[in-house]
C-alpha cells in the first residue's frame, strides 16, 4: 500500500510539473487530427480505464478528484489527476443560452452588459461528460470577491460549477468590468474563452446560430483579449488556434497576417493556402517560402535569431534570385486533414472533411531547398551578426550598416546613409566635390577625428562604395590618404566599378601630381594650366570612364592641397639622366601652359628642380627647347594673342618613341611608390593579452574536453549538456561562463549561447582554433 501511494504521489508531481511548467511551442504544428482530451496548456487530461473485479472494462473515467488514489477490489491502483473540485449539482432547469453583447444580465449583484457567455442551468458538454464549462448558473452560491482573487477551485481546466463561491464572485466581478485587468488569474480568462470557443466550434457550425457580424465580433474580442493577456503563452497559443479555425470556417470574416502565421506556427492555415496554390499550378512566392521555413527542420543559427528582420529580407532576396518566378511544385498525394483541438475540456475535437487539398509542407525536397537558402543567408549575415553581438554596438552604427550583405544593403540603409547621399550630391553640384575632410567626417560621426587611420579609411570607402560616390585621395587608387586638416574631393560613380589601377592610370596620376606642383608655383593656378592637365586625362583612350572620373577628382584635390615633394625627391634622385630629363620636360610644359613664363616663375622652377634632385641649370634650356619645338605655322599665328599651351601626351612626350616609353614607365612606377609617406594607413596591431598560462590554451582539462565535445555540433539540449557536465564534474552555468570568458579573451565574443537549448557558434569556434594555433 505504501509503495502504491508513493508511486501515485510521484506520478502526480510529475504530471503537475508538466502541466504548469512553461514549455516552448512545437517547431512543427501537425495538421493531422490530434488526440482527444488536451487542455489549454498543452497537457493531456489523465483518463484511466478501470479494471473491474470480473476483468471487464468500463468507459473512460473522468472523475475530477484532485490527486485521488483508489485501490480496486482486485488490487489494481487507479490514479485520477484533476484540478478543481467536484461539480456542484443544481436544480436549475433553464436551458443554457448565449448572451449577446449589449444584453444586460443581473447575477448575484453583478451587472454584465458585454455578454459573450452562456447563461442558464442546463447545457451539456459535447464530449458527454458533465455540463458546459463556461455556463453561468445563477442559482449557484456566490461570495463577494475581486477579479484578482482565486483559490484551488479555479483549477487547471476551470468549470463555473466547480468554482468555490469566492471564485464565482471573482469571475463575475471580472465579467461585469471592462475585462482588461492584466493581473486577473488566467484561469478566469480561459473560462470566458471557453464560451467564445463553443460559440464558434459548435453553434456557428451545427445550428448556424452565429451571423457574420457576430462572428466578426467574436474574432475582434479574441484580438482584444490577446492585447491584454497575450503574454501568457498558453492563452496566446489557443487564441491564435481559434482564430486560425475561424479563418478556415469563414475566410472573409477573419484576417490573419503572414507574419502571424509564421510567428505562431499556424501550419494548418498555411498548408491549405499553399496546397490550393499547388493544386492550381501556381508558384510559391518568396514571402510564403519564408513562412514555410518555419515548418521545416531548419535550426536557426545565431544570425537568423539575432538579426531576424535582416535575415528575412536576405532570405527573400536569395529565394527570388534563385526562383525568379516563384517555386513551382507538383501536387503530392498527402492531403491536409484540418482538425481543431479545443482548449475547453467540455468540447470534442472537430474536423473539416470537405477541405481536401495537397499538403506540400510534407515534401522533404522542398524543405531542403528552403533550408539551403536559409543557410546561405545565415552565412552572409555572420559578420553583421557578430558586430551586433558585441556590447554597445547598434544597428544604427555606420559600421553595422556597412557589414550588411550587398543583396539587402539598399533596402536596409539607415537614415545616415540616405542623408549622406543627399549631402554628397549637393557638394558635387555646388563645389565640384571639394570639401574639407572634417566636414565630410561630420556626416558620419559626431566626434571629430584627429587622425585618419585604417579604421577611418575603411569606413569612408565602405560608405562611398555603398552610396555610389568616390573620394580623392583614395589609398587604393591614388596611393595617398586624406589628411584630417586637409581637403578631399567627392565625385559621382566612385571606385566600385574600377578595377586595380592600370599602368596608364598610374602614369597619368604621376603626371598630374608633377603638373599640379608646377601650376601652384606662383600661388595662382591659371585656367590654361588646368586645361593642359585635364587634356592629359581626356585624351588617353586607354582609360575607362570611371578611371577618368577618379583622375579628374585627384587633379582637383592636388590643385587644392599642400604639396609634399619629400618622397618624390628620393625617387627622382634614383632615376637615370634620361628619366630625369623626361620629368623636367613635364614640369616646364605645365609652367608654359599659359603661354608665358615670368622671371619669378623661372626662379621658382629652379628651386623646384633643386628640391627634386634635378640640375637647376636645365630650367632655361628646357624652356627654350619646348618653346621652339613647335614653330608657328604662319606669321599670323605668331602674332596671335591666343595663349600657346602644350598637350603633354603630344608635345612633351613625343620627343621620340623610345624616350616616351621610358618616361611613361618611370611615371607609373613613381606614382605607386613615391607616396608611401602619405599613404600610411595601417596602425600597429595591439599586442594580444597573454592567455591564462595553461597547456590547453587557457582552459583547464575538464572545460577543454567539454568545449571539444560541444563544437562537434551546433545545438545541444540542456539535458545533454547537464549529462556531459556531470561526467566531468562541472556545473552547467559555471561551465558556460568559463568557456565564454575564455572565448572573449581569445576573440572578444562568446562562442556559446544559452537560449533554453545551447547553441554553438561554430564559425567563432573555428576562428578561436585558428587564433590559438597562431
Amino acid at each position: 500500500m505504501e509503495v502504491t501511494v508513493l508511486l501515485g504521489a510521484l506520478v502526480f508531481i510529475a504530471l503537475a510539473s508538466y502541466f504548469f511548467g512553461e514549455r516552448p511551442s512545437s517547431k512543427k504544428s501537425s495538421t493531422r487530427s490530434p488526440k482527444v482530451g488536451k487542455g489549454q496548456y498543452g497537457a493531456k487530461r489523465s483518463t484511466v480505464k478501470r479494471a473491474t473485479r470480473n476483468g471487464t472494462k468500463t468507459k473512460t473515467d473522468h472523475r475530477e478528484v484532485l490527486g485521488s488514489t483508489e485501490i480496486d477490489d482486485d488490487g489494481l491502483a487507479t490514479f485520477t489527476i484533476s484540478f478543481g473540485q467536484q461539480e456542484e449539482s443544481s436544480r436549475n432547469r433553464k436551458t443554457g443560452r448565449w448572451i449577446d453583447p449589449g444584453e444586460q444580465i443581473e447575477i448575484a449583484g453583478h451587472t454584465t452588459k458585454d455578454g459573450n457567455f452562456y447563461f442558464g442551468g442546463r447545457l451539456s458538454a459535447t464530449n458527454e461528460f458533465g455540463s458546459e464549462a463556461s455556463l453561468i448558473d445563477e442559482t449557484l452560491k456566490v461570495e463577494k470577491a475581486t477579479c484578482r482573487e482565486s483559490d484551488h477551485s479555479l483549477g487547471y481546466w476551470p468549470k463555473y460549477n466547480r468554482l468555490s463561491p469566492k471564485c464565482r464572485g471573482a469571475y463575475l466581478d471580472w465579467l461585469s468590468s471592462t475585462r482588461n485587468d492584466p493581473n486577473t488569474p488566467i484561469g478566469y480568462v480561459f473560462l470566458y474563452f471557453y464560451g467564445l470557443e463553443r460559440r464558434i466550434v459548435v453553434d456557428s457550425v451545427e445550428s448556424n446560430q452565429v451571423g457574420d457580424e457576430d462572428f466578426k465580433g467574436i474574432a475582434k474580442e479574441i484580438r482584444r483579449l490577446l492585447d491584454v493577456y497575450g503574454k501568457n503563452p498558453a492563452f496566446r497559443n489557443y487564441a491564435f488556434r481559434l482564430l486560425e479555425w475561424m479563418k478556415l470556417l469563414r475566410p472573409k470574416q477573419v484576417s490573419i497576417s503572414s507574419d502571424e502565421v509564421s510567428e505562431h506556427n499556424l501550419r494548418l492555415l498555411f498548408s491549405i493556402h499553399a496546397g490550393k496554390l499547388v493544386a492550381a499550378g501556381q508558384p510559391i512566392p518568396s514571402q510564403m517560402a519564408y513562412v514555410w521555413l518555419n515548418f521545416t527542420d531548419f535550426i536557426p543559427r545565431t544570425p537568423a535569431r539575432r538579426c531576424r528582420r535582416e535575415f528575412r529580407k536576405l532570405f527573400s532576396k536569395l529565394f527570388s534570385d534563385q526562383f525568379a518566378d516563384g517555386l513551382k511544385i507538383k501536387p503530392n498525394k498527402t492531403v491536409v486533414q484540418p482538425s481543431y483541438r479545443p482548449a475547453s475540456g467540455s468540447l470534442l475535437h472537430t474536423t473539416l472533411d470537405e477541405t481536401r487539398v495537397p499538403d506540400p509542407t510534407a515534401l522533404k525536397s522542398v524543405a531542403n531547398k528552403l533550408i539551403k537558402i536559409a543557410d546561405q543567408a545565415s552565412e552572409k549575415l555572420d559578420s553583421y551578426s557578430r558586430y551586433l553581438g558585441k556590447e554597445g554596438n547598434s544597428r544604427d552604427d555606420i559600421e553595422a550598416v556597412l557589414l550588411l550583405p550587398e543583396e539587402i544593403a539598399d533596402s536596409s540603409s539607415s537614415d545616415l546613409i540616405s542623408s549622406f547621399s543627399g549631402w554628397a550630391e549637393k557638394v558635387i553640384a555646388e563645389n565640384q566635390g571639394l570639401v574639407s575632410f572634417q566636414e565630410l567626417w561630420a556626416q558620419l560621426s559626431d566626434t571629430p577625428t584627429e587622425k585618419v587611420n585604417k579604421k577611418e579609411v575603411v569606413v569612408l570607402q565602405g560608405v562611398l562604395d555603398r552610396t555610389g560616390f568616390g573620394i580623392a585621395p583614395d589609398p587604393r587608387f591614388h596611393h595617398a590618404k586624406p589628411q584630417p586638416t586637409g581637403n578631399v574631393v567627392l565625385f559621382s560613380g566612385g571606385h566600385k566599378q574600377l578595377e586595380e589601377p592600370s599602368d596608364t592610370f598610374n602614369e597619368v596620376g604621376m603626371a598630374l601630381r608633377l603638373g599640379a606642383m608646377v601650376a601652384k608655383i606662383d600661388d595662382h593656378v591659371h585656367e590654361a594650366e588646368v586645361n593642359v592637365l585635364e587634356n592629359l586625362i581626356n585624351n588617353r583612350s586607354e582609360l575607362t570612364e570611371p578611371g577618368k572620373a577618379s583622375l579628374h577628382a585627384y587633379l582637383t584635390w592636388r590643385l587644392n592641397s599642400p604639396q609634399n615633394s619629400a618622397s618624390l625627391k628620393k625617387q627622382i634622385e634614383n632615376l637615370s639622366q634620361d628619366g630625369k630629363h623626361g620629368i623636367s620636360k613635364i614640369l616646364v610644359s605645365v609652367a608654359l601652359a599659359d603661354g608665358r613664363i615670368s622671371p619669378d616663375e623661372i626662379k621658382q622652377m629652379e628651386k623646384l628642380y633643386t628640391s627634386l634632385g634635378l640640375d637647376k641649370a636645365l630650367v632655361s634650356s628646357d624652356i627654350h627647347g619646348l618653346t621652339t619645338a613647335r614653330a608657328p605655322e604662319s606669321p599670323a599665328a605668331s602674332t596671335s594673342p591666343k595663349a600657346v599651351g602644350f598637350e603633354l601626351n603630344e608635345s612633351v612626350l613625343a620627343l621620340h618613341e623610345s624616350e616616351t616609353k621610358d618616361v611613361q614607365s618611370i611615371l607609373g612606377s613613381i606614382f605607386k611608390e613615391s607616396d608611401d609617406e602619405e599613404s600610411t594607413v595601417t596602425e600597429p596591431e595591439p599586442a594580444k593579452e597573454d592567455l591564462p598560462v595553461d597547456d590547453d590554451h587557457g582552459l583547464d582539462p575538464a572545460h577543454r574536453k567539454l568545449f571539444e565535445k560541444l563544437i562537434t555540433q551546433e545545438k545541444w539540449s540542456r539535458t545533454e549538456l547537464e549529462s556531459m557536465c556531470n561526467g566531468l564534474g562541472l556545473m552547467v552555468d559555471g561551465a558556460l561562463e568559463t568557456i565564454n570568458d575564455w572565448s572573449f579573451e581569445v576573440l572578444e565574443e562568446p562562442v556559446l549561447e544559452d537560449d533554453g537549448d545551447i547553441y554553438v557558434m561554430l564559425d567563432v569556434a573555428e576562428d578561436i582554433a585558428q587564433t590559438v594555433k597562431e
Side-chain angles (χ1 to χ4, degrees):
M1 173 65 107
E2 293 179 356
V3 173
T4 302
V5 172
L6 178 59
L7 178 60
L10 290 174
V11 172
F12 172 75
I13 292 171
L15 288 174
S17 174
Y18 176 78
F19 291 150
F20 288 109
E22 181 178 342
R23 297 178 300 282
S25 60
S26 173
K27 179 74 177 173
K28 296 182 179 179
S29 177
S30 175
T31 58
R32 302 183 183 277
S33 302
K35 294 182 180 179
V36 181
K38 283 200 173 185
Q40 66 263 27
Y41 298 91
K44 297 179 181 178
R45 177 178 288 102
S46 174
T47 55
V48 184
K49 290 186 177 181
R50 295 185 61 209
T52 61
R53 184 175 301 174
N54 58 12
T56 60
K57 295 182 179 180
T58 64
K59 70 176 182 178
T60 303
D61 185 358
H62 281 265
R63 288 169 297 174
E64 305 289 351
V65 182
L66 182 64
S68 64
T69 305
E70 297 182 2
I71 304 297
D72 290 337
D73 294 339
D74 56 6
L76 295 177
T78 301
F79 302 100
T80 303
I81 307 299
S82 176
F83 301 89
Q85 56 189 27
Q86 293 281 11
E87 293 188 22
E88 186 172 333
S89 60
S90 170
R91 296 180 181 180
N92 189 347
R93 302 300 177 189
K94 294 181 181 179
T95 302
R97 66 184 182 89
W98 178 253
I99 304 300
D100 290 313
E103 182 178 352
Q104 185 169 307
I105 296 290
E106 184 80 20
I107 309 172
H110 297 273
T111 302
T112 67
K113 303 185 281 188
D114 295 328
N116 283 331
F117 59 87
Y118 290 97
F119 177 75
R122 293 288 182 268
L123 187 63
S124 298
T126 63
N127 60 13
E128 300 181 0
F129 291 103
S131 62
E132 162 60 35
S134 66
L135 178 66
I136 296 178
D137 185 344
E138 74 271 27
T139 66
L140 297 180
K141 185 178 179 181
V142 174
E143 293 180 3
K144 186 176 181 179
T146 66
C147 68
R148 297 186 179 186
E149 297 181 68
S150 66
D151 57 32
H152 73 280
S153 69
L154 183 59
Y156 188 77
W157 283 284
K159 268 192 172 183
Y160 185 81
N161 64 8
R162 282 208 312 252
L163 297 179
S164 66
K166 178 182 178 181
C167 282
R168 292 191 193 115
Y171 180 55
L172 293 175
D173 179 64
W174 183 78
L175 279 181
S176 62
S177 70
T178 54
R179 307 174 186 177
N180 63 356
D181 185 347
N183 295 311
T184 300
I186 199 65
Y188 296 134
V189 181
F190 264 109
L191 188 58
Y192 176 67
F193 178 78
Y194 294 165
L196 302 175
E197 188 176 45
R198 181 181 179 119
R199 187 67 172 167
I200 296 299
V201 176
V202 180
D203 295 351
S204 74
V205 176
E206 295 181 359
S207 56
N208 198 26
Q209 299 175 17
V210 184
D212 285 347
E213 289 303 314
D214 291 338
F215 197 92
K216 285 195 293 185
I218 291 176
K220 184 178 180 180
E221 176 65 359
I222 294 172
R223 291 283 187 181
R224 186 191 69 81
L225 292 173
L226 279 168
D227 288 341
V228 182
Y229 305 103
K231 290 184 179 179
N232 181 280
F235 179 75
R236 182 175 64 247
N237 176 59
Y238 275 96
F240 272 106
R241 291 294 178 276
L242 182 55
L243 287 172
E244 178 185 40
W245 193 250
M246 294 175 72
K247 179 70 174 177
L248 295 180
L249 293 176
R250 302 186 191 181
K252 295 182 179 180
Q253 311 306 323
V254 180
S255 177
I256 297 179
S257 69
S258 59
D259 286 343
E260 289 175 329
V261 171
S262 175
E263 182 178 356
H264 303 290
N265 289 319
L266 305 184
R267 182 169 186 168
L268 174 58
L269 189 61
F270 178 84
S271 298
I272 292 176
H273 185 194
K276 289 180 178 178
L277 286 181
V278 169
Q282 297 181 19
I284 301 297
S286 61
Q287 186 179 28
M288 282 191 67
Y290 176 78
V291 177
W292 193 330
L293 188 64
N294 290 270
F295 309 121
T296 69
D297 293 328
F298 174 64
I299 300 176
R301 291 172 48 193
T302 302
R305 300 194 309 276
R306 181 182 287 151
C307 319
R308 292 184 181 181
R309 179 180 61 194
E310 295 84 358
F311 175 77
R312 178 171 187 168
K313 288 181 179 179
L314 184 54
F315 175 89
S316 297
K317 182 64 171 62
L318 295 176
F319 178 89
S320 297
D321 289 345
Q322 185 170 342
F323 305 102
D325 299 323
L327 177 60
K328 296 212 67 172
I329 304 171
K330 293 182 179 179
N332 55 323
K333 295 181 179 180
T334 304
V335 296
V336 181
Q337 299 178 3
S339 64
Y340 178 73
R341 184 192 71 198
S344 172
S346 300
L347 304 177
L348 288 172
H349 80 279
T350 185
T351 61
L352 289 176
D353 295 330
E354 65 271 18
T355 305
R356 305 287 289 180
V357 297
D359 183 7
T361 62
L363 295 171
K364 285 288 185 182
S365 58
V366 177
N368 290 337
K369 291 178 182 177
L370 301 181
I371 291 173
K372 184 177 180 180
I373 295 174
D375 287 337
Q376 292 173 354
S378 296
E379 183 85 16
K380 288 177 176 289
L381 281 170
D382 187 63
S383 297
Y384 178 74
S385 173
R386 286 196 194 184
Y387 180 86
L388 294 185
K390 296 179 181 179
E391 186 177 355
N393 290 349
S394 164
R395 281 179 168 81
D396 295 329
D397 296 346
I398 189 63
E399 292 87 351
V401 174
L402 298 179
L403 287 172
L404 280 170
E406 290 187 5
E407 291 86 349
I408 60 171
D410 293 338
S411 63
S412 302
S413 291
S414 66
D415 292 339
L416 186 150
I417 292 291
S418 300
S419 63
F420 178 86
S421 296
W423 172 83
E425 289 174 355
K426 184 178 180 181
V427 169
I428 293 172
E430 296 180 357
N431 201 32
Q432 296 184 308
L434 183 65
V435 66
S436 72
F437 177 82
Q438 289 300 336
E439 186 176 348
L440 167 65
W441 188 253
Q443 303 302 312
L444 308 176
S445 174
D446 295 331
T447 306
T449 180
E450 296 181 357
K451 295 181 179 181
V452 182
N453 291 314
K454 184 175 182 179
K455 177 182 177 181
E456 288 77 16
V457 170
V458 169
V459 167
L460 276 176
Q461 291 171 344
V463 172
L464 293 165
D465 287 347
R466 180 67 54 86
T467 53
F469 296 98
I471 188 176
D474 186 322
R476 298 172 297 179
F477 300 92
H478 307 133
H479 306 283
K481 68 171 183 175
Q483 298 300 316
T485 57
N487 294 324
V488 294
V489 177
L490 300 174
F491 65 98
S492 298
H495 291 111
K496 196 172 183 180
Q497 303 301 322
L498 189 62
E499 298 179 357
E500 184 176 348
S502 64
D503 291 340
T504 301
F505 185 97
N506 290 329
E507 168 206 331
V508 175
M510 190 64 231
L512 295 177
R513 181 179 180 186
L514 293 170
M517 293 176 67
V518 175
K520 295 185 66 177
I521 284 179
D522 56 359
D523 295 325
H524 173 72
V525 179
H526 195 279
E527 182 180 353
E529 295 171 328
V530 176
N531 290 337
V532 169
L533 296 172
E534 288 183 340
N535 285 337
L536 179 59
I537 302 171
N538 297 331
N539 295 339
R540 297 303 293 268
S541 59
E542 305 98 315
L543 293 172
T544 63
E545 289 304 315
K548 290 180 179 180
S550 175
L551 288 170
H552 276 295
Y554 176 70
L555 172 60
T556 303
W557 173 68
R558 279 296 181 189
L559 293 174
N560 291 274
S561 300
Q563 302 300 317
N564 177 12
S565 61
S567 56
L568 275 179
K569 179 179 179 181
K570 180 179 179 182
Q571 294 296 326
I572 292 178
E573 283 177 346
N574 295 328
L575 292 179
S576 66
Q577 284 302 115
D578 288 342
K580 291 180 181 181
H581 185 66
I583 296 296
S584 70
K585 295 296 187 294
I586 294 175
L587 298 175
V588 172
S589 66
V590 178
L592 289 171
D594 57 0
R596 64 183 180 83
I597 186 166
S598 67
D600 289 338
E601 283 182 298
I602 293 176
K603 290 180 179 179
Q604 294 296 327
M605 285 288 293
E606 290 176 345
K607 291 180 180 179
L608 179 59
Y609 267 47
T610 301
S611 68
L612 292 178
L614 300 170
D615 185 355
K616 70 178 182 178
L618 293 174
V619 173
S620 297
S621 61
D622 287 342
I623 292 174
H624 178 72
L626 283 175
T627 54
T628 59
R630 294 177 61 185
E633 297 177 0
S634 67
S638 65
T639 58
S640 173
K642 185 177 179 180
V644 178
F646 294 88
E647 293 183 357
L648 298 183
N649 59 321
E650 293 181 0
S651 300
V652 181
L653 301 181
L655 302 179
H656 50 76
E657 189 68 20
S658 61
E659 184 175 326
T660 299
K661 291 182 178 180
D662 290 341
V663 172
Q664 290 175 342
S665 176
I666 291 167
L667 290 174
S669 63
I670 293 178
F671 189 63
K672 289 189 291 185
E673 299 175 5
S674 66
D675 284 351
D676 287 344
E677 183 178 322
E678 295 180 274
S679 303
T680 305
V681 295
T682 57
E683 298 174 334
E685 294 187 2
K688 292 184 175 66
E689 295 182 8
D690 292 336
L691 295 174
V693 179
D694 191 279
D695 291 339
D696 289 304
H697 307 291
L699 288 177
D700 59 79
H703 286 93
R704 187 68 185 184
K705 288 181 180 179
L706 177 61
F707 175 70
E708 291 174 349
K709 176 65 176 176
L710 288 174
I711 61 176
T712 58
Q713 65 185 52
E714 188 173 30
K715 178 183 176 183
W716 298 89
S717 69
R718 197 168 183 85
T719 301
E720 291 172 320
L721 180 60
E722 288 174 350
S723 177
M724 286 186 278
C725 287
N726 289 337
L728 295 170
L730 301 173
M731 300 295 289
V732 173
D733 292 335
L736 291 175
E737 184 176 357
T738 297
I739 292 175
N740 273 338
D741 286 347
W742 171 69
S743 177
F744 268 108
E745 290 178 357
V746 177
L747 212 60
E748 296 185 353
E749 57 184 307
V751 69
L752 304 176
E753 184 173 307
D754 187 356
D755 192 16
D757 291 327
I758 310 302
Y759 291 88
V760 183
M761 285 6 104
L762 296 179
D763 49 348
V764 177
E766 291 176 4
D767 290 346
I768 289 175
Q770 185 64 32
T771 301
V772 171
K773 182 180 180 180
E774 293 174 354

